[in-house]
Amino acid sequence: MKGKIGLWLFLAALVVGFVALLASRVGPATLPADQAVGPFTLRDLLFYAVASLAMVGTAFVALSRNIVYSALGLLFALLGTGALYVFLSADFLAVTQLLVYIGGVLVLILFAVMLTSRITDVNVSNTSMGVAGGAALFFATAPVLVFVALATPWAARSSPGLAPTTREIGDAFLTGWLLPFELASLVLLATLIGAVVIARKELKPDEEPTP
Amino acid sequence: MVHVGLPHFLVLGALLFSAGLLTVATRRNAVGVLMGVELILNGANVNFVAFNHYVTGGVSGQVFALFVIVLAAAEAAVGLAIVLAIFHTFRSIDVRAADTMRE
Amino acid sequence: MHEAMHEAAHALGPLAVHHVGYLWLIPFFPLAGSFINLTLGWRWERSGMKRNVHVVAVGAMLLSLAVAVYAFFQMRALDPEHRFLQDTLWNAFTSGRLSVDFGFALDPLSMMMVLIITFIGSLIHVFSIGYMWDDEAKAYWRFFMWLNLFVFSMLLLVMGDNFALMFFGWEGVGLCSYGLIAYYYTDREKAAAGMKAFVVNRFGDFGFVIGLLLLFWGLGGAWALPGDGGRARYEPTPGVNATAPAANMDEALAVTPTVEVGHGQLVKIGPTLNFRELRDQVVIEKTGIAEHLKNQKVWGVALLALVGIFMFVGAMGKSAQLPLYVWLPDAMAGPTPVSALIHAATMVTAGVYMVARLNFIYALSPSAMGWVALIGALTAIFAASIGFFQYDIKKVLAYSTVSQLGFMFIGVGVGVYWAGAYHLLTHAFFKACLFLGSGSVILGCHHEQDMRKMGGLKEYMPITRWTYLIACVAIAGFPIANGFYSKDEILWKAFTSQHLALFGVPTPWLGPAIYLAGIIAATGTSFYMFRSYFMTFTGKYRGGEGHQHEHGEDPHASVAAPHHADPHGHHDAHPEPNHVTGHVHEAHGKVLHLGHDAHGDHGHDAHAANDNAAHGDHGHGAHGGHGHTPHESPWTITLVLSTLAVGSILTCFLGLPALWTGAPPALEHWLEPTLPAEVSFAHAPHWMEWLFQGLGVAAGAVGLVFAWALYKDGRSTVPARIKERFLSAWTVVYNKYYVDELYDRIVIQPSLAWGRLMSWLDGHLIDWLVNFAGTATRFFANIDGAIDKYVVDGAVNLLANATIEGGRSMRRIQTGRIQTYLYGALAGGLAVILLNFLIH
């Protein structure tokens, strides 16, 4: 370890120097997102980076044989999606995505994966439909949707502003969206109880409860 | 290449959705199927928020996306509970094992 | 005398009809009696009230006689021209010109017949009480039932006012004679005799119907128009044979053509079955029907000749003429009263009655008359010859009946209808007396019928003997009894007849020839009747001695061994030789042994007819024991015999010849209105008539003398010697000229062969066809079954299997995996979207 400290210090200095260089290069102030970098703005590049991350994660989820890889891929997909929410001025939503989706659902999925991965073997992770079926499905749906997305003349605003949304969402929940809000809480309650009920293992006399 | 705008997000959402569909349809692992479902929901969420940002103002889309997240969580919980229950019954989480409804 | 009567006939108009309402009672009483005995008689007999049976039967007869006598007196009170009582009950049916009433008519001829039937019938019923009381068949009621029914049928026959009713009675008497002859039906021979009578009668009836139909057509049609080359074609004469549709008799009357014959009287012309209408239109010349009939020919033969001959065929059957007489001797198998009633007095005279009734038709056809007279003469002499050698007393009487019937037909054949009817009447009396006397003898000798076992009965049975003797005198033709008068008249008229022809050719020689045959037959009659008298009543009683002596007499005995070894001496009759069948009593190999067994064994007749009665009890007065001593019969029998004998004498006065009294005989005068036929006779001087009467008496005397010489007291051996010398001839005559055997060969065997052929055809052809149909059906059924099994079921199964297979393959969609379902749903949804996009 003693010998490696120097390596670690070196790597750290490298990274700091690179970032300082970058920072000095780009300028002293904050970088505006709209600053052009070639034909793209920074904003665009960032978007593509995040989107690629999400796509890679999605690919892992869909195509990986290993279920754990799929779970991690899901993590990145969710992460990327969350980052994209920021682009869309949904800051609260992005954080909620992180907290609930990744922190709750994904963890739950990971738990399930870990709990059941022992008895799964590689075979089970294989896709059931085969490459052909999967490809057919993907290429049946994606082009249609993409085409719709691209061809439809959306009535889009050119560059809407970014603004915090938390206060508005809070207001919305307690005024216009009150009923769904309450119903959602009921759903959650039901889900809680239901999940417990469903997942509870019926103990038969000669069986021990599984861990 | 045009600047990032609504179509980009919509394409992303479409891709997410399609990938999730693919995952649901093809995975043999039950948990994997659930992951696909999450992807689908996420794709829908992206659409919602994108439209909210670019087409309609306000926060309706985001609120809806929030609800989707809530329900996705609930659904994931219940789904996994079901998976566990199936695992108890069929001793396997291969979706092909639970085919007593066959024929 | 006779010419006056013929002229009177010319002046005749339509018969005046006197309507009465009680004539139906005359046949009704016997019918009612028969019915009562049929329904209640067996019960009476079983419960010991047997006398009710004969009370009912005899009572019915007496009631009928009473009504008949009443009708007679009423008729006598009428004018001779108007003596026609008519009682029409209802119209049986009307169809075009054919109108049949159920009606009775009494004119003098049928009145005479009715009186004979009811009077002599009553006497015979009384006789039957004594005769049948202890009869072994234990069916007293059945006997009287048949007897009454017979009288009913006979009354229908004579009282019916049209052919249809007469034929009804004609058939009815045939049926009743069957029932009575085959009374002891448990004996196959006797049953066969009954069948023979019926079947032979049917032959005759066939001829009768043909004659009737010819007459019916002849009245209204023509078979071959004259000048037409004789080509047979039936063409109704429009005016005469009007056949406008008529629904009942009144309508029929309205449309029938009529001819006015003076005094505003209308006579119906055209085809009819009613006797009165027929007589009116034929007799009254103004209608032209007689000429019409005389001119008609059927295939070249005169219609009237055919009618007469065919109807005479019916008479041949019913009245036992050649060649259909064969049933009458066999009919002796019935009880003796039956023989008396049916075969002496009534049924067999139906033919004579019929010819007398149709005298006007016959008179128009000399050929028919000649034919009738010829057959009658041949029958008379033929039957008389057979009667010479018979041993059974009833057979003798049977052949005598056939012979006397021949005489009657000579009478009606030559045209002296009243004499034929008179002979009918006298014959009824003396033949009934003879038969009943023989019944008394048989009863007294304990059912012995063979005359060789009788003899000397005059000491034991005096009444029977005297009445029998009187009847023999009557039949032989001595003037003290009635037979002479009728027979003499017949033979005289036969000799002087001018009206006869044969096959259209006048034959003036036929009359004298018939006379010759008749006189020979009369001689023979006298001979064999007195033979029977002497054998039965004179000499020593030969009965109960066994039959050893018979073997010596009959050389043919060695051929056929005695068949029965019966402990009772009487039954062990000597079996007669029967060359044809070679056996005697038990030849039942043939179904119909008409004439073979029933008649071939005369000796068997000794126990054939009445032997079913127990030996112990005979006659009404239970003389007890099986003694061989003959005895007189009880009073019911002797009274009847006496009555008949007295009647035989008294009825002389009905027919005293005009030669003696100068006036027409009573009966001739009585019957005159009914006999309008014009027949011409030669006019002969009176001395000739006296001569012929003397010849008749001489003939009877000759027969008597020979019989006396040969058979009195049974002393003479001449009969035996003659028999030995002429054995072959004797055998031929004894075996009735083998006529029955001839019939067997000609008629019966071919019929049986035909029957066997038909049976073979039926078994092989028809059954083959039926079986073939069955086989073909089975074959097609198999094909159909195969088609059904493989094609039809195959199609159905194919459908089912296709469905199953389709389902099985469809089932694979249900994988049970959600992903598959999801995939499917998505695929479907996407397809819709795609289609939407593309088509849009």
Side-chain angles (χ1 to χ4, degrees):
Chain A
M1 234 18 229
K2 209 165 165 225
K4 299 232 169 76
I5 290 178
L7 189 63
W8 285 108
L9 275 173
F10 175 71
L11 281 171
L14 213 62
V15 168
V16 169
F18 181 70
V19 170
L21 184 67
L22 217 61
S24 69
R25 192 69 137 107
V26 178
T30 56
L31 293 167
D34 292 325
Q35 187 169 353
V37 179
F40 304 103
T41 62
L42 198 61
R43 195 190 176 84
D44 293 340
L45 286 174
L46 218 52
F47 168 79
Y48 285 125
V50 172
S52 321
L53 179 71
M55 284 288 92
V56 167
T58 308
F60 265 97
V61 171
L63 303 173
S64 172
R65 284 168 163 244
N66 193 334
I67 192 70
V68 181
Y69 286 178
S70 298
L72 286 175
L74 186 64
L75 168 68
F76 280 111
L78 293 173
L79 210 57
T81 314
L84 284 175
Y85 286 153
V86 176
F87 276 92
L88 294 168
S89 170
D91 52 344
F92 182 75
L93 191 62
V95 174
T96 307
Q97 170 105 340
L98 282 169
L99 282 174
V100 173
Y101 232 127
I102 298 172
V105 177
L106 187 65
V107 168
L108 194 59
I109 287 178
L110 274 171
F111 266 112
V113 166
M114 292 310 160
L115 277 174
T116 57
S117 68
R118 241 187 328 168
I119 7 81
T120 61
D121 49 357
V122 183
N123 282 343
V124 181
S125 301
N126 284 348
T127 58
S128 67
M129 199 68 73
V131 178
L137 191 60
F138 184 80
F139 287 111
T141 55
V144 173
L145 293 171
V146 166
F147 175 73
V148 168
L150 291 176
T152 316
W154 307 109
R157 298 182 288 180
S158 57
S159 54
L162 300 170
T165 57
T166 310
R167 175 184 286 266
E168 282 81 5
I169 288 174
D171 284 339
F173 268 139
L174 291 171
T175 54
W177 294 86
L178 180 61
L179 182 61
F181 180 59
E182 298 299 334
L183 283 176
S185 56
L186 269 175
V187 169
L188 281 171
L189 175 66
T191 302
L192 257 174
I193 300 171
V196 170
V197 169
I198 292 173
R200 184 183 57 175
K201 182 165 176 186
E202 301 277 341
L203 280 177
K204 297 200 181 69
D206 55 336
E207 267 184 50
E208 308 136 21
T210 57
Chain B
M1 184 75 77
V2 79
H3 291 299
V4 169
L6 178 61
H8 298 79
F9 286 98
L10 293 182
V11 168
L12 180 70
L15 289 173
L16 275 171
F17 177 84
S18 305
L21 198 62
L22 174 67
T23 311
V24 166
T26 60
R27 276 279 181 189
R28 275 169 62 176
N29 195 329
V31 181
V33 171
L34 277 168
M35 287 193 242
V37 175
E38 300 308 329
L39 278 180
I40 288 171
L41 289 169
N42 265 287
N45 264 0
V46 167
N47 265 20
F48 272 121
V49 179
F51 274 116
N52 176 62
H53 181 70
Y54 279 103
V55 178
T56 64
V59 293
S60 299
Q62 295 177 23
V63 167
F64 215 89
L66 270 171
F67 279 117
V68 172
I69 290 173
V70 167
L71 290 169
E75 167 258 330
V78 174
L80 286 165
I82 291 175
V83 167
L84 281 173
I86 287 178
F87 171 66
H88 289 327
T89 308
F90 293 98
R91 314 305 301 177
S92 159
I93 53 168
D94 184 348
V95 294
R96 283 188 294 186
D99 61 353
T100 45
M101 288 277 282
R102 186 192 160 99
E103 286 187 19
Chain C
M1 209 77 54
H2 299 283
E3 305 86 21
M5 285 197 293
H6 297 314
E7 283 158 15
H10 277 286
L12 277 177
L15 274 176
V17 175
H18 196 82
H19 288 275
V20 295
Y22 60 83
L23 291 184
W24 62 277
L25 284 173
I26 300 179
F28 172 75
F29 282 124
L31 180 67
S34 166
F35 186 72
I36 292 173
N37 270 330
L38 174 67
T39 48
L40 298 175
W42 56 275
R43 238 183 274 168
W44 283 333
E45 185 154 351
R46 227 179 271 176
S47 65
M49 299 200 290
K50 205 155 98 167
R51 59 188 299 267
N52 287 357
V53 173
H54 68 243
V55 165
V56 165
V58 176
M61 287 303 298
L62 290 176
L63 282 171
S64 185
L65 175 62
V67 179
V69 168
Y70 177 80
F72 173 67
F73 280 113
Q74 182 176 13
M75 194 182 271
R76 268 186 51 135
L78 293 170
D79 261 352
E81 304 293 320
H82 300 123
R83 283 183 184 150
F84 194 92
L85 301 178
Q86 169 90 22
D87 181 10
T88 307
L89 295 180
W90 65 81
N91 178 246
F93 67 90
T94 304
S95 159
R97 283 309 302 273
L98 180 63
S99 176
V100 172
D101 296 337
F102 201 87
F104 299 109
L106 278 182
D107 67 350
L109 177 64
S110 50
M111 186 78 248
M112 179 189 97
M113 294 295 298
V114 166
L115 283 173
I116 293 176
I117 294 166
T118 49
F119 180 63
I120 300 199
S122 305
L123 288 176
I124 293 179
H125 275 71
V126 172
F127 179 91
S128 304
I129 299 174
Y131 196 81
M132 298 297 289
W133 183 262
D134 288 311
D135 186 62
E136 200 180 46
K138 294 274 180 286
Y140 197 62
W141 65 273
R142 183 158 55 90
F143 184 78
F144 278 103
M145 185 270 288
W146 279 116
L147 219 57
N148 267 358
L149 195 66
F150 174 85
V151 173
F152 163 70
S153 304
M154 192 69 203
L155 286 170
L156 271 189
L157 199 157
V158 299
M159 283 177 67
D161 74 341
N162 56 64
F163 272 108
L165 208 57
M166 177 164 121
F167 195 65
F168 190 90
W170 191 277
E171 298 283 346
V173 295
L175 171 69
C176 296
S177 82
Y178 165 75
L180 285 165
I181 294 170
Y183 179 70
Y184 301 108
Y185 57 83
T186 47
D187 184 328
R188 276 193 82 146
E189 277 183 10
K190 300 193 171 59
M195 279 196 277
K196 180 173 177 178
F198 197 78
V199 171
V200 174
N201 259 283
R202 290 304 281 167
F203 274 94
D205 297 343
F206 180 61
F208 183 91
V209 170
I210 290 184
L212 181 58
L213 292 175
L214 279 174
L215 181 63
F216 192 80
W217 279 346
L219 285 170
W223 264 103
L225 301 175
D228 203 3
R231 190 162 55 89
R233 202 173 63 241
Y234 176 62
E235 280 201 2
T237 313
V240 175
N241 195 13
T243 52
N248 53 39
M249 196 160 72
D250 297 324
E251 282 187 38
L253 283 173
V255 298
T256 40
T258 53
V259 171
E260 209 223 301
V261 290
H263 307 293
Q265 291 169 315
L266 293 176
V267 170
K268 273 173 59 178
I269 58 170
T272 177
L273 287 183
N274 191 299
F275 290 129
R276 184 179 52 80
E277 289 173 14
L278 185 65
R279 176 241 177 230
D280 283 342
Q281 61 181 302
V282 172
V283 164
I284 299 173
E285 286 183 354
K286 213 165 168 193
T287 59
I289 290 293
E291 285 303 311
H292 177 77
L293 282 175
K294 276 201 278 198
N295 290 336
Q296 288 201 34
K297 284 183 183 307
V298 176
W299 292 312
V301 184
L303 174 77
L304 282 175
L306 281 180
V307 167
I309 290 173
F310 273 114
M311 300 201 93
F312 181 62
V313 169
M316 266 197 242
K318 190 66 69 184
S319 302
Q321 296 299 293
L322 227 56
L324 297 175
Y325 70 92
V326 290
W327 62 272
L328 200 144
D330 287 37
M332 297 300 115
T336 309
V338 166
S339 311
L341 180 63
I342 296 182
H343 310 123
T346 44
M347 180 172 115
V348 294
T349 56
V352 182
Y353 166 75
M354 187 266 294
V355 176
R357 168 70 67 212
L358 296 176
N359 56 80
F360 45 88
I361 298 284
Y362 276 94
L364 293 176
S365 168
S367 299
M369 289 175 65
W371 184 252
V372 169
L374 181 65
I375 296 287
L378 288 176
T379 307
I381 198 168
F382 181 79
S385 69
I386 299 182
F388 277 10
F389 301 123
Q390 297 301 314
Y391 289 128
D392 183 349
I393 191 169
K394 282 181 74 173
K395 287 282 193 302
V396 172
L397 295 176
Y399 285 108
S400 160
T401 302
V402 175
S403 180
Q404 295 303 307
L405 286 167
F407 271 99
M408 289 183 224
F409 279 107
I410 292 176
V412 295
V414 300
V416 59
Y417 301 99
W418 81 268
Y422 183 43
H423 197 63
L424 195 159
L425 188 146
T426 60
H427 176 265
F429 275 94
F430 60 67
K431 193 45 70 65
C433 185
L434 284 169
F435 264 112
L436 296 181
S438 76
S440 168
V441 163
I442 290 168
L443 203 63
C445 290
H446 312 288
H447 293 284
E448 178 60 68
Q449 283 181 254
D450 191 328
M451 291 193 291
R452 295 172 292 186
K453 302 222 191 72
M454 302 180 197
L457 291 179
K458 65 183 177 193
E459 281 118 38
Y460 302 101
M461 307 162 80
I463 302 179
T464 308
R465 175 236 181 155
W466 284 110
T467 54
Y468 196 90
L469 183 59
I470 291 173
C472 279
V473 163
I475 196 173
F478 293 113
I480 50 171
N482 58 5
F484 162 74
Y485 299 95
S486 56
K487 200 184 293 191
D488 172 71
E489 185 69 23
I490 288 173
L491 288 178
W492 170 244
K493 283 289 185 287
F495 189 76
T496 60
S497 77
Q498 287 179 325
H499 199 80
L500 297 175
L502 279 179
F503 307 115
V505 176
T507 50
W509 48 267
L510 190 57
I514 288 177
Y515 174 79
L516 189 63
I519 210 77
I520 295 175
T523 314
T525 302
S526 169
F527 171 71
Y528 66 68
M529 285 313 301
F530 278 109
R531 167 178 174 265
S532 78
Y533 170 75
F534 287 127
M535 275 182 84
T536 306
F537 289 99
T538 65
K540 208 163 58 78
Y541 180 57
R542 296 183 292 274
E545 290 176 8
H547 54 275
Q548 294 88 347
H549 63 282
E550 293 166 19
H551 289 272
E553 273 184 17
D554 196 347
H556 287 266
S558 57
V559 174
H563 198 76
H564 295 302
D566 197 302
H568 300 295
H570 308 298
H571 278 257
D572 203 358
H574 177 71
E576 298 302 331
N578 194 325
H579 299 284
V580 178
T581 59
H583 58 264
V584 278
H585 191 62
E586 287 184 357
H588 299 299
K590 298 191 176 79
V591 175
L592 286 175
H593 43 278
L594 304 180
H596 274 271
D597 297 317
H599 191 62
D601 321 330
H602 292 278
H604 272 276
D605 293 332
H607 63 268
N610 288 315
D611 265 347
N612 294 327
H615 289 281
D617 306 330
H618 300 278
H620 196 59
H623 52 279
H626 188 88
H628 288 250
T629 315
H631 57 89
E632 185 59 275
S633 302
W635 67 269
T636 47
I637 291 181
T638 50
L639 178 66
V640 168
L641 288 176
S642 316
T643 313
L644 286 171
V646 167
S648 298
I649 297 178
L650 289 181
T651 49
C652 298
F653 296 101
L654 285 177
L656 293 175
L659 193 61
W660 295 8
T661 59
L667 191 65
E668 185 180 1
H669 180 69
W670 171 256
L671 290 177
E672 190 187 326
T674 68
L675 304 171
E678 300 170 16
V679 182
S680 60
F681 295 97
H683 203 64
H686 284 249
W687 62 265
M688 215 176 194
E689 232 179 309
W690 283 107
L691 172 66
F692 277 79
Q693 284 187 351
L695 278 177
V697 176
V702 163
L704 170 60
V705 162
F706 272 102
W708 184 298
L710 293 178
Y711 290 100
K712 174 105 166 62
D713 297 333
R715 281 190 300 246
S716 167
T717 56
V718 174
R721 282 209 315 249
I722 294 180
K723 185 164 110 176
E724 275 172 26
R725 274 195 67 185
F726 300 102
L727 190 59
S728 47
W730 182 92
T731 312
V732 169
V733 177
Y734 187 64
N735 285 309
K736 321 151 282 166
Y737 300 101
Y738 298 109
V739 172
D740 282 317
E741 289 76 7
L742 182 70
Y743 282 167
D744 179 67
R745 289 278 284 276
I746 299 178
V747 177
I748 296 171
Q749 295 304 321
S751 302
L752 290 177
W754 178 254
R756 280 193 290 273
L757 174 69
M758 287 295 116
S759 166
W760 183 90
L761 275 180
D762 178 58
H764 287 87
L765 269 183
I766 296 176
D767 284 356
W768 177 83
L769 272 173
V770 172
N771 287 341
F772 176 70
T775 310
T777 307
R778 245 207 319 276
F779 172 70
F780 282 112
N782 284 339
I783 292 182
D784 286 337
I787 290 177
D788 181 57
K789 189 163 146 194
Y790 293 110
V791 174
V792 175
D793 284 356
V796 172
N797 288 345
L798 181 71
L799 192 66
N801 287 338
T803 308
I804 290 174
E805 288 306 314
R808 197 169 289 150
S809 51
M810 286 289 175
R811 245 184 283 145
R812 282 194 256 125
I813 293 176
Q814 303 285 335
T815 57
R817 278 185 272 159
I818 298 177
Q819 290 171 318
T820 316
Y821 301 153
L822 180 65
Y823 191 75
L826 281 169
L830 280 167
V832 171
I833 295 170
L834 219 59
L835 279 170
N836 207 12
F837 256 117
L838 292 175
I839 293 173
H840 223 307

